[in-house]
Amino acid sequence: MFANWLSTPDSARRAAKGQHHAQVAAVAEAVGAVDVLDLVNSDLITESWLKEAERTYSPNTVVSYLLSLRHFTDFLLTKSCVRYFEFTNAEQKDIQHFNAQLPRWRKSYAKDRQRRHWSNMAEFIADPLIAADVEKYERSKSCKEAVALLSNLMESRSLHATRNVDSSTFTKIRDYLICKTIIRNAQRSGALSNMMYGEWCKGKPSKEDPEGLCVMVSKTKTGHKHPVVLDFDSHLKGAMSFFFKHIRHQFARTDSGNLFFTFIHGNALCSSYIGTLMRRSFQKAIGARANPTRVRKMTSTMVAYESDQVKKQTAASMT
């Protein structure tokens, strides 16, 4: 019920509905909830979950969980929920009280969140991702292995070869293509996790490379304002097309639809996992820290001394 409600206008059609549902379920498990009212018991939440969460998670993550609980209490206060659970007036007041308490809890983490922000900034300045790191990654053994696997499959073009692709090969090639796309475009991870094959098919030739492709992805963080454009050169375009048609379909047999990238078992990739796999790939290849955000910062830094027009174009494309 809660997951469905998150998709309705009453909840403002929350984009991260899966995340909110999962986080509320995690809190429910942590407190041992046997009734929905256990999730509006401030004492139980504080003692059984919040104190441990403060030690385990970053301030931003704790605030994210509290926001999920706020959405859940909004859901409990809807007329349909009140009727379904047959809440008494006293129970409704308890829910309303907890609902009003959550923003104060979230606000109390403001200073901690700011400290975390400056700490991350200082860490990036002290150990930034630079172009040399990217070049080193692209010459690394793991990248060469992924390129070799992909090249051999593309050259063989045999049904037997593509039908016998194992999960390890699928993961290596998928992770390589994702990292290459992020490096080339410096976009948020959501653009990769939400890219559809239909959008790929509607792509237009690239200005830089007539044999390349420009793909517009609409379901992104800034999709309500404008789509994100991903650019692929001719080599990356060919590799991506081959991956989807001959490799990806063997592992995408669930409800992932026409999503371009999926997990091994075919489930849709979440944007946070894109960052995880990129961090893992760079760490394994060259021992450097990398994720989509660090690539975006690196790209911004590289054009910092260029003309104002270049800065404006960079800012417009990196949305």
Side-chain angles (χ1 to χ4, degrees), residues 81-273:
C81 254
V82 171
R83 287 196 301 267
Y84 180 82
F85 291 108
E86 298 180 344
F87 292 138
T88 64
N89 290 335
E91 289 172 337
Q92 291 181 58
K93 287 182 179 180
D94 289 339
I95 298 173
Q96 290 170 351
H97 176 73
F98 186 65
N99 183 273
Q101 192 175 17
L102 285 169
R104 295 194 295 272
W105 284 11
R106 290 167 53 207
K107 190 176 181 180
S108 70
Y109 292 95
K111 291 183 179 180
D112 291 334
R113 295 176 71 186
Q114 193 63 32
R115 291 191 192 98
R116 173 78 173 184
H117 169 73
W118 290 119
S119 174
N120 288 339
M121 288 293 292
E123 186 177 338
F124 174 76
I125 293 171
D127 183 26
L129 182 71
I130 58 177
D133 292 328
V134 173
E135 293 174 2
K136 188 177 179 182
Y137 166 76
E138 292 180 331
R139 296 195 302 267
S140 68
K141 181 181 178 181
S142 58
C143 273
K144 289 179 180 179
E145 288 178 353
V147 171
L149 285 170
L150 189 56
S151 297
N152 290 336
L153 289 171
M154 292 177 72
E155 288 174 4
S156 68
R157 293 283 181 177
S158 68
L159 290 175
H160 176 74
T162 55
R163 282 176 180 172
N164 287 278
V165 172
D166 58 20
S167 59
S168 177
T169 301
F170 167 84
T171 302
K172 286 180 181 178
I173 294 175
R174 180 203 63 189
D175 293 1
Y176 169 75
L177 293 176
I178 287 175
C179 289
K180 285 288 289 184
T181 303
I182 292 174
I183 290 170
R184 181 174 178 81
N185 292 274
Q187 289 289 358
R188 290 186 175 92
S189 56
L192 273 295
S193 63
N194 294 317
M195 185 172 71
M196 307 293 290
Y197 185 66
E199 294 172 325
W200 173 269
C201 293
K202 294 176 182 177
K204 304 296 182 183
S206 169
K207 291 182 180 179
E208 295 182 0
D209 183 358
E211 298 298 321
L213 194 69
C214 284
V215 179
M216 297 177 65
V217 182
S218 58
K219 189 179 178 182
T220 62
K221 184 176 181 178
T222 56
H224 61 290
K225 296 180 180 179
H226 45 71
V228 163
V229 179
L230 297 178
D231 178 80
F232 302 87
D233 61 22
S234 57
H235 297 292
L236 189 53
K237 171 190 172 184
M240 294 277 284
S241 294
F242 181 85
F243 169 78
F244 187 89
K245 294 177 181 178
H246 300 283
I247 300 176
R248 178 261 188 203
H249 75 91
Q250 298 183 55
F251 298 86
R253 298 170 181 170
T254 61
D255 59 351
S256 59
N258 282 323
L259 282 171
F260 208 100
F261 293 111
T262 65
F263 281 108
I264 293 174
H265 300 295
N267 298 322
L269 282 178
C270 53
S271 60
S272 61
Y273 187 76

Side-chain angles (χ1 to χ4, degrees), residues 3 31 58 193:
V31 303
S58 70
S193 63

